[in-house]
Amino acid sequence: MKYTEYLARRLIMIVFTILGLSILIFFIARVLPGDPARLALGPEASEAQVERLRELLGLNKPLYIQYFDYVLRLIQGDWGLSLLTWRNTLYDILDRLPASIELTTIALGFAVIVGVPIGVLAGVNKDKKTDYISRTFALTGLSFPRFFVGILLQVFVYFCVAQFLDWPISGRIGTKPPVRITGFYLIDSLITGNLRAFVSAVQHIVLPAFTLSLASIAQIARLTRAGIIEQYRKDYILQAKALGIPENLIIYKYMLKNAFTSVLTIIGLLYGFLIGNAFMVETVFVWPGLGYYGVRALLFKDLNAIVGVVITIGIIYAFVNLIVDLLYGYIDPRIRYGEEIR
Amino acid sequence: MLIEREAITRLQAVAIAVIIAVAVIGGIYYYVIMGPTPTTEEKKIIFTYPFQQIVSTIDPAKATDETSCCAVINMYDPLFFPVKFENGTRKTVPWLVEEWFVSEDGMTYTMKLKEGIKFHDGTELTAEDVAFSMDRMLSIGMGFSYLWEGVLQPGDTEVVDKYTFKFHLRKPYSPFISTLIQLFVVNKKLIMEHLEPGDFGEYGDYGQKYLEDHDAGSGPYKLKSWERGVEIVFEKFDDYWRGWKENSPTEVHCKVILEEATVVTLFKKGELDMTHMWLTPETFEELKQIPGVIVDEDLALQIFHIPMNMKKPPTDNKWFRYAICYAFDYETACELAGGAPQAEGPVPLPVEGHAEDVLVFHRNVTLAQYYLNKSGYKPGEVTIDIVYITAVELERKICLLLKSNLEEIGIGVNIIGETWGRLCDLATSPETAPHLSCIYDRMKTLHPDSHTYGKYHSSVQGTWRSISWMENSTIDSILEQARATADPEEALELYKEAQRLITYEAPAIFVFNNIHRIAMHDWVKGYVDPGIMSFDLYWWNLEIIGRD
């Protein structure tokens, strides 16, 4: 199969996947308990007012008609009225999405930078002291609830670090945000040459990204360890050693590359997972991301926001995993789609 | 075969060294060369406050939650305003209105505006703006428009001259003046210049799209910036009609901080000038111990009560309800609420029109057993359900207390935790409404009508506010009479009579009158709480004195 053909097929599949997801979440959202119109207008609103809002939202129509109306508007960029903010849900999501992507990317990047070496160390020193210490460290990160770690870090910074260094414990930036180009403060501040905003954005992202990365470090470390152990047994490693190639080169250039495919898979899955499940970290650190917005939408039965958030996360999952699949081809030439093995 | 003996090339090593060097130099530059915040910002008096939830809207026709109402109260002016006097009494006083009078039949309210009040764009506020604002509110049909449901329709506000207008009511409505604290006047000219296509004929969308991100008010503060979900910043309107004090905040930064621990930590650090009121009583006790921190405590216009479903056995039996009311340990419940006083009937204690001679229950196990026996139910015969909101830990504790009290006299209790949305759903019919529910209810106006007619008249059944499902023709009649009475004093007497009759029916366990607490650093002066949601967050009242 040619590469482009494969890409085209995957893109079409993504469309159908998102369509299926939208049907599922659309109907699930509408059977959740609670009258969304009543919740939105407040308990004192009269029945006439509630009925008017139901009419405006189309809630009195049959479900399948509501769905078709929704899809037609979705394609035109109208993702429905949010009952919490009273504006197009798409704008709410676009406001929050860059914050979530930025946080998740930094957190995952940190998890890879820390988790992979831990996994390598553990794998290379299997059943030795280093292996046990590395695994204990990684599992500790997995065991602590994220919100608990977040609050602990805030208290630690306030009581210990704050005496020497003014370090922020909440929010996304401590100065005027940079001019919005991409919505990512780290990138926008560099593009606009706003060093103050860049440094402030870095300071603000450190704690939440570290908190969010802890569980991912453990997962990445475990998979890396398993991959390294598997590669270590292979003949080409024995040959490399016999040829006198330095140990570090063997591990990091040859073994790690071959062991990385399973790690890549988990990174892809973690990315989508973290974007939607970071709401505890977002709550503690007052990070204006999609996670908390989604939870609030659920609690207040903000129908369009619920569907919008799920579709957004679904799209992210699908595209991230497409990228992961394409990267497989880069890492392992044997599975490069559409090319003959020479 | 060429064998590479280096893990990284020389070029890669140089690149890594350069990146590290740039990062270190950049950091030094930031801290040493660039220094602290530029001096122009130091001349501002910035007040920082935490919002416990996001601001959903800043449109005065749509705001109903605390944070949205806070934004509106500071950017707009209402016709009347709730005020708390030195002696603790609370009254609704004229605000934009200079003088007003009501016709003998109570159907026409004539009002004259103060002259020279400016909107933020410099336009003068006139009677046209008032009429437009009321019509806009009623047409959009959200926010607090329910206060005038059946009382006013669009077009019922007549402009007499530049500063005089009349409200022609569809029926007499004695709480009318108190409701006008929720009518915020918008700039008609500005909105008409920014109309989008909509459902309101010549008025298009009534400026809803424009007011998503802009303000059109005359209030003490203007909208400076709004990063949704993060922070909303207000800046002082220099030409505000009430003038300014020397140390008034020039900017107010309201940061959305959802987690209590974060609020407390930032407050202790001095990054917040004040906390919000939603911290636990234990946290306020802890904050009281900190030098330089003041915890303002006062009776709130909010009661906590446990309504009983009067259409579902066994709580449809009056004597059974009496048994429950006598069995409950009010003292312990009030202690759990941080020393709040016991509620006396449905209307909060500080409200003008609160009846002091209502039937107030106190724990008496003997009487509880007597009434249980009188009800015809035997001990051990029945089990009832009580629903609490899972996010509110205090409610769960009170449910456990009630369970132990009722089991003492032989009534079984199932405690069920639900979300707010689910409770609203359950409340819509007497069959699904639980036997007992835990409800906090706060006044939206300084008038007993809110907690009498608004909860116990048979026409309002079907919401969580009326989850008792009371249906009493005598009470209905008195409440209707009270609403229709033009004389305010006479009306209040009727409301008091209604309260006496309501408590006699025991529709709820009226547990405690909540205490409003808020903590602030001692450099914050002028804070006052009139009791209506968000009106204590009227920043114009504040001064910052003595902060470094």
Side-chain angles (χ1 to χ4, degrees):
Chain A
M1 191 197 323
K2 293 230 181 284
Y3 199 75
T4 46
E5 217 177 280
Y6 171 75
L7 192 62
R9 278 188 63 175
R10 283 296 300 269
L11 288 171
I12 292 168
M13 274 173 62
I14 286 173
V15 170
F16 281 105
T17 305
I18 299 302
L19 204 64
L21 182 66
S22 70
I23 294 171
L24 199 64
I25 191 60
F26 188 89
F27 288 103
I28 287 173
R30 271 146 180 81
V31 301
L32 286 173
D35 177 354
R38 167 64 66 191
L39 287 171
L41 291 176
E44 293 93 348
S46 68
E47 201 48 48
Q49 287 172 316
V50 173
E51 198 49 46
R52 252 201 316 269
L53 184 58
R54 277 199 205 109
E55 199 64 45
L56 179 69
L57 296 172
L59 294 176
N60 293 333
K61 296 181 187 171
L63 272 180
Y64 71 93
I65 302 248
Q66 289 184 45
Y67 178 72
F68 283 125
D69 286 344
Y70 179 79
V71 171
L72 279 171
R73 287 197 317 266
L74 191 82
I75 296 165
Q76 295 169 58
D78 177 4
W79 285 33
L81 185 71
S82 163
L83 297 179
L84 286 174
T85 62
W86 302 110
R87 60 177 197 155
N88 188 343
T89 304
L90 178 62
Y91 300 150
D92 289 339
I93 290 171
L94 289 176
D95 274 346
R96 286 163 178 78
L97 189 59
S100 286
I101 290 176
E102 193 170 53
L103 178 65
T104 305
T105 305
I106 300 294
L108 217 44
F110 186 74
V112 168
I113 290 168
V114 174
V116 166
I118 290 177
V120 166
L121 268 176
V124 164
N125 297 287
K126 182 175 175 296
D127 296 332
K128 293 183 188 155
K129 200 164 52 176
T130 316
D131 182 19
Y132 296 132
I133 293 171
S134 306
R135 283 196 284 161
T136 306
F137 173 75
L139 285 171
T140 306
L142 192 61
S143 311
F144 277 106
R146 276 180 283 217
F147 74 89
F148 179 69
V149 172
I151 293 171
L152 268 183
L153 280 174
Q154 286 180 323
V155 170
F156 169 72
V157 167
Y158 170 62
F159 282 106
C160 303
V161 176
Q163 293 174 42
F164 313 104
L165 192 65
D166 188 20
W167 199 269
I169 60 172
S170 71
R172 200 178 166 201
I173 198 162
T175 183
K176 196 176 169 189
V179 171
R180 186 181 173 115
I181 302 169
T182 62
F184 305 115
Y185 284 0
L186 294 172
I187 295 174
D188 288 347
S189 55
L190 284 176
I191 292 173
T192 55
N194 189 340
L195 187 61
R196 180 183 297 281
F198 177 75
V199 173
S200 181
V202 166
Q203 284 181 305
H204 280 79
I205 207 171
V206 163
L207 290 183
F210 175 73
T211 307
L212 195 59
S213 70
L214 281 177
S216 306
I217 289 172
Q219 289 169 296
I220 289 170
R222 283 168 69 89
L223 278 169
T224 308
R225 177 184 178 274
I228 292 290
I229 289 170
E230 194 194 332
Q231 294 300 316
Y232 212 78
R233 295 192 195 113
K234 297 210 169 153
D235 291 342
Y236 77 93
I237 298 299
L238 188 61
Q239 189 195 15
K241 282 184 184 174
L243 285 170
I245 295 172
E247 184 84 12
N248 279 345
L249 195 65
I250 294 173
I251 293 168
Y252 287 100
K253 194 170 166 66
Y254 298 110
M255 282 172 63
L256 185 58
K257 195 176 176 184
N258 292 329
F260 206 68
T261 45
S262 52
V263 179
L264 202 56
T265 308
I266 200 72
I267 289 172
L269 292 172
L270 277 174
Y271 200 91
F273 177 79
L274 288 179
I275 282 189
N277 286 276
F279 76 92
M280 276 299 198
V281 171
E282 289 174 9
T283 303
V284 170
F285 289 100
V286 196
W287 194 266
L290 209 56
Y292 180 76
Y293 176 76
V295 169
R296 195 153 185 270
L298 209 62
L299 290 173
F300 286 88
K301 208 175 172 184
D302 188 354
L303 298 173
N304 293 321
I306 293 169
V307 178
V309 168
V310 172
I311 287 176
T312 304
I313 293 172
I315 291 171
I316 292 171
Y317 251 117
F319 276 99
V320 167
N321 281 287
L322 173 63
I323 293 168
V324 163
D325 286 344
L326 294 174
L327 280 173
Y328 282 149
Y330 172 73
I331 289 173
D332 189 348
R334 294 172 301 172
I335 54 175
R336 195 163 290 160
Y337 301 103
E339 290 190 4
E340 294 175 8
I341 297 169
R342 296 182 193 280
Chain B
M1 182 173 69
L2 182 66
I3 298 168
E4 293 177 61
R5 294 195 179 275
E6 295 165 346
I8 56 171
T9 65
R10 201 164 293 178
L11 186 61
Q12 287 169 336
V14 168
I16 291 168
V18 166
I19 289 169
I20 292 171
V22 165
V24 169
I25 291 166
I28 294 168
Y29 176 75
Y30 174 72
Y31 281 107
V32 176
I33 309 290
M34 291 184 80
T37 309
T39 51
T40 50
E41 290 183 26
E42 288 171 3
K43 293 176 185 165
K44 294 181 184 171
I45 302 176
I46 296 177
F47 178 81
T48 312
Y49 180 81
F51 275 168
Q52 81 285 3
Q53 61 185 32
I54 63 169
V55 178
S56 53
T57 179
I58 56 172
D59 187 333
K62 295 180 180 174
T64 51
D65 60 83
E66 184 177 321
T67 49
S68 302
C69 288
C70 173
V72 166
I73 283 160
N74 285 286
M75 294 194 292
Y76 295 84
D77 284 304
L79 291 183
F80 286 75
F81 206 92
V83 164
K84 180 182 168 189
F85 293 96
E86 295 267 344
N87 59 5
T89 54
R90 292 160 166 96
K91 278 189 181 306
T92 302
V93 302
W95 199 246
L96 290 178
V97 166
E98 178 71 49
E99 56 184 359
W100 63 277
F101 59 90
V102 57
S103 61
E104 269 189 40
D105 61 358
M107 298 284 283
T108 305
Y109 286 75
T110 306
M111 298 184 183
K112 186 173 182 300
L113 287 170
K114 291 178 170 126
E115 295 180 20
I117 294 175
K118 298 258 187 325
F119 285 112
H120 297 154
D121 68 348
T123 316
E124 192 182 7
L125 193 153
T126 66
E128 280 282 344
D129 300 298
V130 176
F132 178 80
S133 302
M134 179 56 92
D135 287 348
R136 181 176 188 270
M137 191 87 171
L138 295 171
S139 300
I140 292 171
M142 295 179 187
F144 287 105
S145 63
Y146 66 85
L147 291 169
W148 304 292
E149 185 83 7
V151 176
L152 281 174
Q153 301 251 354
D156 288 347
T157 310
E158 179 197 347
V159 176
V160 176
D161 60 39
K162 188 177 180 187
Y163 300 110
T164 311
F165 56 94
K166 290 185 181 184
F167 290 114
H168 296 284
L169 272 56
R170 300 269 159 155
K171 57 185 180 186
Y173 185 53
S174 61
F176 183 65
I177 291 295
S178 68
T179 64
L180 293 179
I181 66 171
Q182 301 291 2
L183 177 66
F184 293 88
V185 181
V186 300
N187 185 337
K188 178 183 178 181
K189 176 174 155 287
L190 189 63
I191 287 180
M192 293 301 285
E193 286 168 2
H194 292 91
L195 293 181
E196 298 267 334
D199 301 324
F200 303 103
E202 60 172 319
Y203 296 113
D205 71 336
Y206 253 127
Q208 291 179 76
K209 186 90 180 90
Y210 180 71
L211 291 190
E212 275 179 15
D213 300 295
H214 303 86
D215 86 76
S218 60
Y221 289 90
K222 305 183 285 190
L223 180 68
K224 183 179 180 187
S225 66
W226 185 13
E227 201 181 339
R228 289 172 189 271
V230 180
E231 185 180 52
I232 185 167
V233 179
F234 306 96
E235 63 179 354
K236 180 177 152 193
F237 173 46
D238 291 322
D239 292 332
Y240 186 51
W241 60 277
R242 297 189 74 203
W244 285 100
K245 301 170 212 167
E246 191 188 332
N247 296 298
S248 296
T250 57
E251 263 186 32
V252 178
H253 293 227
C254 297
K255 296 176 183 282
V256 178
I257 304 173
L258 309 162
E259 175 60 38
E260 175 164 326
T262 311
V263 169
V264 172
T265 306
L266 289 174
F267 178 71
K268 287 178 180 174
K269 265 184 97 177
E271 286 187 27
L272 298 174
D273 294 294
M274 199 187 262
T275 68
H276 53 61
M277 60 170 277
W278 299 102
L279 307 180
T280 60
E282 294 80 16
T283 302
F284 280 117
E285 285 305 312
E286 180 201 330
L287 291 175
K288 272 184 197 172
Q289 313 308 319
I290 302 173
V293 171
I294 297 165
V295 176
D296 183 277
E297 288 184 332
D298 199 358
L299 286 178
L301 300 191
Q302 183 186 50
I303 60 163
F304 174 76
H305 64 315
I306 302 175
M308 295 187 267
N309 188 338
M310 297 166 76
K311 286 191 175 174
K312 190 174 186 174
T315 46
D316 61 342
N317 184 309
K318 181 171 164 180
W319 307 129
F320 189 85
R321 296 197 300 275
Y322 267 53
I324 291 174
C325 289
Y326 275 117
F328 185 65
D329 184 352
Y330 297 87
E331 211 174 297
T332 304
C334 291
E335 271 171 34
L336 286 172
Q342 183 176 345
E344 294 175 5
V347 176
L349 296 168
V351 175
E352 189 183 18
H354 167 257
E356 291 175 358
D357 54 349
V358 295
L359 174 58
V360 178
F361 292 89
H362 298 282
R363 178 169 161 80
N364 187 323
V365 178
T366 311
L367 276 177
Q369 287 166 334
Y370 165 76
Y371 281 109
L372 180 64
N373 187 46
K374 192 171 176 180
S375 72
Y377 289 99
K378 293 186 176 40
E381 193 180 25
V382 289
T383 300
I384 56 176
D385 294 334
I386 179 167
V387 166
Y388 74 98
I389 306 301
T390 47
V392 187
E393 176 59 16
L394 179 59
E395 288 186 9
R396 191 187 70 86
K397 288 180 185 172
I398 289 176
C399 286
L400 288 169
L401 173 67
L402 180 63
K403 182 179 163 78
S404 94
N405 294 156
L406 293 186
E407 283 175 353
E408 213 176 316
I409 61 168
I411 299 175
V413 175
N414 283 332
I415 300 175
I416 303 166
E418 293 284 5
T419 60
W420 178 243
R422 181 73 184 129
L423 182 62
C424 290
D425 244 3
L426 292 172
T428 54
S429 83
E431 290 80 26
T432 56
H435 294 108
L436 275 63
S437 347
C438 293
I439 304 281
Y440 277 94
D441 202 351
R442 191 175 192 177
M443 300 196 83
K444 303 298 188 293
T445 63
L446 285 177
H447 200 281
D449 182 86
S450 155
H451 278 41
T452 49
Y453 195 109
K455 290 172 74 68
Y456 298 111
H457 192 277
S458 54
S459 66
V460 302
Q461 291 171 353
T463 75
W464 65 263
R465 292 201 78 218
S466 53
I467 203 170
S468 294
W469 287 90
M470 175 178 270
E471 209 165 305
N472 184 304
S473 54
T474 309
I475 294 173
D476 279 357
S477 168
I478 290 178
L479 287 172
E480 285 156 15
Q481 213 181 324
R483 269 199 170 183
T485 302
D487 183 86
E489 296 303 321
E490 215 179 295
L492 283 182
E493 287 308 313
L494 287 167
Y495 280 110
K496 286 179 183 177
E497 178 61 19
Q499 288 167 61
R500 286 187 277 272
L501 291 173
I502 288 167
T503 51
Y504 183 71
E505 292 300 313
I509 307 172
F510 296 106
V511 184
F512 59 80
N513 194 119
N514 208 7
I515 290 183
H516 179 274
R517 292 182 179 89
I518 207 159
M520 64 199 86
H521 290 284
D522 57 7
W523 58 68
V524 178
K525 313 287 183 196
Y527 174 81
V528 105
D529 176 30
I532 301 299
M533 181 180 71
S534 304
F535 279 89
D536 62 318
L537 304 175
Y538 177 64
W539 309 127
W540 184 92
N541 283 334
L542 302 181
E543 285 190 89
I544 308 298
I545 300 171
R547 181 176 65 184
D548 294 330

